[in-house]
Amino acid sequence: MLPKLVDVLGKPKKSNSYVTAKFNDEDIKFKNSWGKYIFTKEEIDLLSKGEPISFTYKGATITGRLKKQTYEGHEYWGFSPDERKSINENNYTFAEINGEKIKFKINGEVIFSQNQKFKP
């Protein structure tokens, strides 16, 4: 009988590993991932230098950089997306209302009035 892969290689490493870096003369640590996306070595190097990175996640282009953040009173360093550059155009639709072009997020069926429905 052949051995199981986990018996040969061991359990996979958690994706929530931390990376240590010198950032603006401060020793910091941050997760090597954002959501289920795991940063490449090159992306970690750029983030450690304060540079922005871009990657595709769930169909959207995410652009951001390391930032000191606070969650429930706890300060930490982590990847912070620049929302203005992270819009997934596939989740939005465009329309013209009263001569003005608008963009809005699609969350299923859109009802403009009792008698009109718009399905993207």
Side-chain angles (χ1 to χ4, degrees), residues 2-113:
L2 293 173
K4 293 182 180 179
L5 186 60
V6 72
D7 294 334
V8 175
L9 299 176
K11 290 185 179 181
K13 294 180 181 176
K14 290 183 180 180
S15 64
N16 289 336
S17 298
Y18 284 85
V19 175
T20 57
K22 186 79 114 176
F23 188 81
N24 293 335
D25 294 327
E26 180 182 348
D27 291 324
I28 67 165
K29 70 176 185 172
F30 61 95
K31 285 186 179 181
N32 73 340
S33 60
W34 185 78
K36 292 185 179 182
Y37 181 82
I38 299 174
F39 302 125
T40 65
K41 182 182 178 336
E42 292 80 18
E43 290 168 334
I44 289 170
D45 290 343
L46 288 170
L47 288 169
S48 298
K49 294 175 185 173
E51 299 291 325
I53 63 168
S54 293
F55 55 91
T56 302
Y57 183 74
K58 293 186 178 182
T61 299
I62 307 295
T63 300
R65 63 183 72 225
L66 278 184
K67 183 178 175 187
K68 189 179 268 189
Q69 303 173 58
T70 304
Y71 179 72
E72 294 184 352
H74 171 70
E75 282 191 343
Y76 67 97
W77 283 94
F79 178 79
S80 179
D82 179 354
E83 294 297 330
R84 292 167 290 159
K85 295 181 182 178
S86 301
I87 295 172
N88 180 354
E89 295 297 336
N90 294 327
N91 289 338
Y92 288 79
T93 194
F94 302 84
E96 189 171 311
I97 297 177
N98 297 331
E100 183 179 348
K101 291 182 180 180
I102 62 167
K103 175 172 83 172
F104 55 93
K105 192 165 187 168
I106 302 168
N107 286 327
E109 185 176 66
V110 178
I111 301 173
F112 286 106
S113 71

